[in-house]
Amino acid sequence: MNILYLALYYGLARFLPSSSACSVCVKLRRYLINKIFYYAGSNVNIAQGVVFGRGGKISIGNNSGIGEGSRLVAMESIIIGDDVMIAPEVLMLTGGHKYDDPNLFLREHESLTAPIKIGSDCWIGARAIILPGVAVCNRVIIAAGSVVTKSITESGIYGGNPAKKIKDIPK
């Protein structure tokens, strides 16, 4: 049955307009996500053009959303907390490759995978990249275009490549 929901999502629902233009489109995507993702909380918004592979390793909490054209590559689990705003064209990658054996071509090295976890009350800016094994604590803003290579364990605003803390968020 999952293949049917995936076919409906990738064949139709992902091309439909986002929330402000079509509330029925949002409800259809929400329905399909509830069938595809490992877990989907209430009031989840998946915008137009989001790609997530088969989706079975993705969990998304209440009142969270994924912006237009974002890509979630879930070779391992991706867990998104409650009240998370993910802007357009964000990329989350849970896989990469080893490169340590000089006797092998890079393409011959084995794959490495590690989960991603985004805490609650976070905002991930447009075109940010979250790499394998990253965990982001609660109440974090990741600036647009940032590359998060290491886990973030303290609330605040992070930006750059690699992302570093810029300042605190008022409490």
Side-chain angles (χ1 to χ4, degrees):
M1 191 59 115
N2 195 37
I3 193 81
L4 174 62
Y5 297 122
L6 284 167
L8 284 170
Y9 178 81
Y10 284 112
L12 172 67
R14 81 175 172 131
F15 299 107
L16 298 173
S18 291
S19 63
S20 61
C22 177
S23 63
V24 172
C25 303
V26 172
K27 289 177 184 173
L28 174 60
R29 275 195 291 271
R30 185 177 299 143
Y31 173 80
L32 293 171
I33 291 308
N34 275 302
K35 300 295 185 183
I36 296 168
F37 282 10
Y38 181 77
Y39 171 79
S42 62
N43 198 33
V44 169
N45 183 28
I46 306 299
Q48 180 181 24
V50 173
V51 175
F52 48 75
R54 294 187 181 145
K57 293 183 178 183
I58 300 171
S59 296
I60 186 168
N62 300 321
N63 306 307
S64 293
I66 303 173
E68 287 87 356
S70 291
R71 291 177 138 348
L72 283 64
V73 181
M75 298 167 73
E76 286 288 338
S77 66
I78 296 177
I79 300 170
I80 300 165
D82 295 332
D83 302 297
V84 174
M85 299 180 292
I86 298 174
E89 298 183 13
V90 167
L91 178 60
M92 294 186 188
L93 299 167
T94 62
H97 295 275
K98 283 188 174 181
Y99 53 86
D100 55 350
D101 186 341
N103 299 313
L104 294 175
F105 289 111
L106 292 173
R107 66 179 168 77
E108 295 175 327
H109 283 83
E110 67 181 275
S111 295
L112 293 173
T113 61
I116 291 173
K117 183 172 187 210
I118 308 297
S120 294
D121 193 24
C122 292
W123 175 16
I124 301 172
R127 293 194 171 177
I129 300 171
I130 314 287
L131 294 179
V134 166
V136 176
C137 69
N138 295 338
R139 198 157 172 78
V140 167
I141 297 172
I142 297 171
S146 297
V147 180
V148 184
T149 61
K150 295 180 180 169
S151 292
I152 296 173
T153 59
E154 183 181 324
S155 175
I157 301 172
Y158 292 77
N161 180 6
K164 294 185 182 346
K165 188 168 187 179
I166 299 169
K167 65 181 181 177
D168 290 324
I169 298 174
K171 294 185 185 207

